[in-house]
Amino acid sequence: NIYNLSVAANNASGTNTTKSMVGNNAASSTAPSGVNGHIIRGNRIYGLAHTNTTSASNFQVGIAVAGSAASSLVLVEKNYKHSNTFASTSVNAQQGILIFTIPARVVNNNVRLGIDASGSSLSNSHVIYGIAKSGSGATTIAYNSVYIGGTNVTGGAQTAAFYRSGLPSTGQDNIRNNIFQNARVNGSGTGAHMSVLFGSTSTSSAAAAVSQLTLNNNLYFHSGAGGFIGGLWFTPGTSINVYSSMQSWSGASSQDGASGYANPGFVFPTGTASNLNLHITCTTAARGGGVGISGVSDGERLASTWCMYVLVDSDGWTGRSPGCPGSVLLVWLMIGSGIWPAKAVRACAKAFP
């Protein structure tokens, strides 16, 4: 675990891996042995804090990965990044996972930003990217769960659960089977809060922003004022073209034909650092929307691999046994607490992979 680190300094530049605070910074030009190359796995990074109260901006990233083609592939998996804190009221920038230059596979990670360790919103103007890919290496981003939070937001900074600004020099970026929820909501603010964002001020066109890309089978959701499914950022001008419906987004991007828009049902995305839970509930809209990806498998997304979805006995004592449909099992549960006595209740339950 990497947690409760603080720094008072700020930096003048927030480019790539030169942030003033990085939880895990991996930079290499040497290729290790093994099919996965360098591996960043199983880290829990939370409670990173900038205590600088001046007007200077602060830049923070949870996991930063940089290197060269010689350093081969990097596998970033099963990491949990959440709960940043900033004392400055200036426009601060934070990224959960940053991939720069090197080819990578970013899979089965959980990221929650925009909410601090106490569960309180970071309502000031923050540039937030849950997962950001700015390098020239072909990258697979799959089976990640990202939640961007915060209410009553001020200022005009943009945020995105996923942001790609760099095209691969060869091959394609593969972005599938992810849950990207941006629940950040403007108060007096004017910023766009997107599930996904592609391009930059140096991108020549909308087509260029989404070139060399496979983007599909993802689940998107946004909430309230300033929320959008996707954004395309390209010249002329510096404004981001935003899209609020799947139809408009799919048409503009020529991608995401099999992706969906619905609340993924995270168990407790707005919790504190100790009780935050980005597992998904049994009734999630994410089920059944993914597609197989060679060499990549889903992690433990469900809060439980068993979903109790029908109570067979209403009072626990009737002795009825109507059975359960299909491959669903009849199981016994003990319910009751406090002044209520525990009762044996039968329920229909199904195991999910």
Side-chain angles (χ1 to χ4, degrees):
N1 291 345
I2 302 171
Y3 62 97
N4 295 345
L5 301 179
S6 64
V7 62
N10 67 287
N11 59 328
S13 172
T15 59
N16 307 321
T17 58
T18 63
K19 306 288 191 293
S20 56
M21 173 172 277
V22 179
N24 186 321
N25 189 4
S28 174
S29 59
T30 303
S33 60
V35 66
N36 289 317
H38 296 284
I39 299 175
I40 303 172
R41 174 188 290 148
N43 298 284
R44 191 177 182 94
I45 303 172
Y46 62 95
L48 305 185
H50 271 93
T51 60
N52 187 337
T53 59
T54 69
S55 60
S57 297
N58 300 284
F59 300 88
Q60 188 182 107
V61 63
I63 296 174
V65 179
S68 66
S71 57
S72 187
L73 180 72
V74 172
L75 174 62
V76 182
E77 71 169 358
K78 299 180 180 179
N79 300 287
Y80 211 157
K81 173 66 186 84
H82 60 91
S83 306
N84 296 343
T85 300
F86 295 86
S88 172
T89 58
S90 297
V91 178
N92 299 291
Q94 52 181 308
Q95 296 166 329
I97 299 173
L98 168 63
I99 305 298
F100 178 67
T101 304
I102 194 168
R105 287 197 299 170
V106 182
V107 297
N108 291 315
N109 299 283
N110 289 333
V111 177
R112 194 279 299 271
L113 299 176
I115 297 174
D116 66 19
S118 70
S120 299
S121 295
L122 299 176
S123 297
N124 292 328
S125 188
H126 293 267
V127 177
I128 302 174
Y129 303 131
I131 298 175
K133 190 266 180 180
S134 63
S136 57
T139 297
T140 293
I141 309 240
Y143 296 113
N144 300 285
S145 296
V146 180
Y147 181 93
I148 309 299
T151 58
N152 199 29
V153 174
T154 62
Q158 76 269 8
T159 67
F162 174 77
Y163 173 43
R164 186 186 80 156
S165 59
L167 303 182
S169 55
T170 60
Q172 286 196 323
D173 290 324
N174 186 3
I175 304 166
R176 293 186 289 177
N177 300 351
N178 300 283
I179 300 174
F180 292 138
Q181 180 175 1
N182 196 332
R184 201 159 173 82
V185 180
N186 285 333
S188 61
T190 58
H193 308 299
M194 298 155 283
S195 293
V196 289
L197 172 62
F198 295 88
S200 69
T201 55
S202 61
T203 302
S204 60
S205 65
V210 291
S211 65
Q212 294 177 258
L213 175 67
T214 298
L215 177 70
N216 215 354
N217 301 98
N218 301 295
L219 183 64
Y220 304 130
F221 196 61
H222 61 78
S223 306
F228 299 94
I229 291 174
L232 298 176
W233 200 357
F234 56 92
T235 55
T238 58
S239 62
I240 298 172
N241 297 270
V242 291
Y243 307 90
S244 58
S245 70
M246 284 303 301
Q247 181 179 8
S248 63
W249 166 245
S250 183
S253 65
S254 299
Q255 300 273 352
D256 270 331
S259 293
Y261 175 82
N263 191 333
F266 289 125
V267 173
F268 195 19
T270 59
T272 67
S274 61
N275 63 16
L276 162 69
N277 192 334
L278 287 187
H279 284 101
I280 50 180
T281 58
C282 292
T283 57
T284 177
R287 179 173 294 118
V291 66
I293 300 175
S294 177
V296 181
S297 61
D298 193 4
E300 184 190 339
R301 273 187 170 172
L302 284 174
S304 171
T305 56
W306 288 91
C307 290
M308 312 303 174
Y309 72 100
V310 176
L311 283 179
V312 177
D313 294 338
S314 59
D315 60 9
W317 303 108
T318 62
R320 291 180 292 111
S321 181
C324 298
S327 61
V328 181
L329 301 178
L330 183 66
V331 299
W332 288 91
L333 304 175
M334 292 297 294
I335 64 172
S337 61
I339 63 173
W340 299 103
K343 293 183 178 182
V345 177
R346 284 173 291 186
C348 293
K350 185 173 183 178
F352 290 93

